[in-house]
Amino acid sequence: AEEKLGKPKPYFFVFHGGSGSEKHHIATALGAGVVKMNVDTDTQWAYWEGLKNFYQAKEAYLQAQIGNPEGEDKPNKSYYDPRKWVRESELTMVKRVKEACVDLKNINA
């Protein structure tokens, strides 16, 4: 295509199903003209991982509204508040998106 059209990388390819790809495969795809890679599955997993890690770390505080390792009468509202675990999910997803941007050379140097 390059010879026929007279310009380098004349097509813009999308890497469908890019989630889970090894970094050297991503680099190869970029070199072949890929300009977009789908990473939805990776970002979904990253979001879930934040929630899972939060639950595992705070499991003893997430069994009832009242009562935890600090005492039978201690409240747990601050642990099961969705803003807490959603935030942890957001942080792990942001980390994964940043990693994808580096892998895809989509960052400001």
Side-chain angles (χ1 to χ4, degrees):
E2 191 171 313
E3 286 179 23
K4 187 174 183 178
L5 297 174
K7 58 183 181 178
K9 298 179 187 171
Y11 301 114
F12 299 106
F13 297 111
V14 176
F15 189 169
H16 291 279
S19 288
S21 297
E22 296 178 23
K23 295 189 185 300
H24 71 275
H25 289 147
I26 295 169
T28 299
L30 291 176
V34 167
V35 296
K36 177 182 181 274
M37 185 173 107
N38 295 338
V39 292
D40 184 50
T41 302
D42 282 350
T43 56
Q44 287 177 5
W45 179 260
Y47 193 92
W48 156 247
E49 192 171 39
L51 173 70
K52 176 179 66 79
N53 292 344
F54 179 83
Y55 180 82
Q56 289 173 337
K58 308 296 185 193
E59 186 172 1
Y61 297 85
L62 298 168
Q63 303 306 308
Q65 290 184 24
I66 307 286
N68 60 50
E70 297 173 25
E72 290 181 9
D73 61 340
K74 298 293 182 180
N76 296 316
K77 183 176 170 86
S78 66
Y79 298 99
Y80 62 81
D81 180 341
R83 293 170 291 188
K84 293 278 188 159
W85 49 266
V86 165
R87 181 64 181 145
E88 294 304 314
S89 294
E90 291 170 342
L91 290 172
T92 53
M93 190 165 85
V94 165
K95 181 180 174 189
R96 181 60 185 97
V97 168
K98 286 180 178 180
E99 180 183 348
C101 288
V102 169
D103 293 346
L104 297 168
K105 301 184 183 340
N106 185 25
I107 57 172
N108 293 327

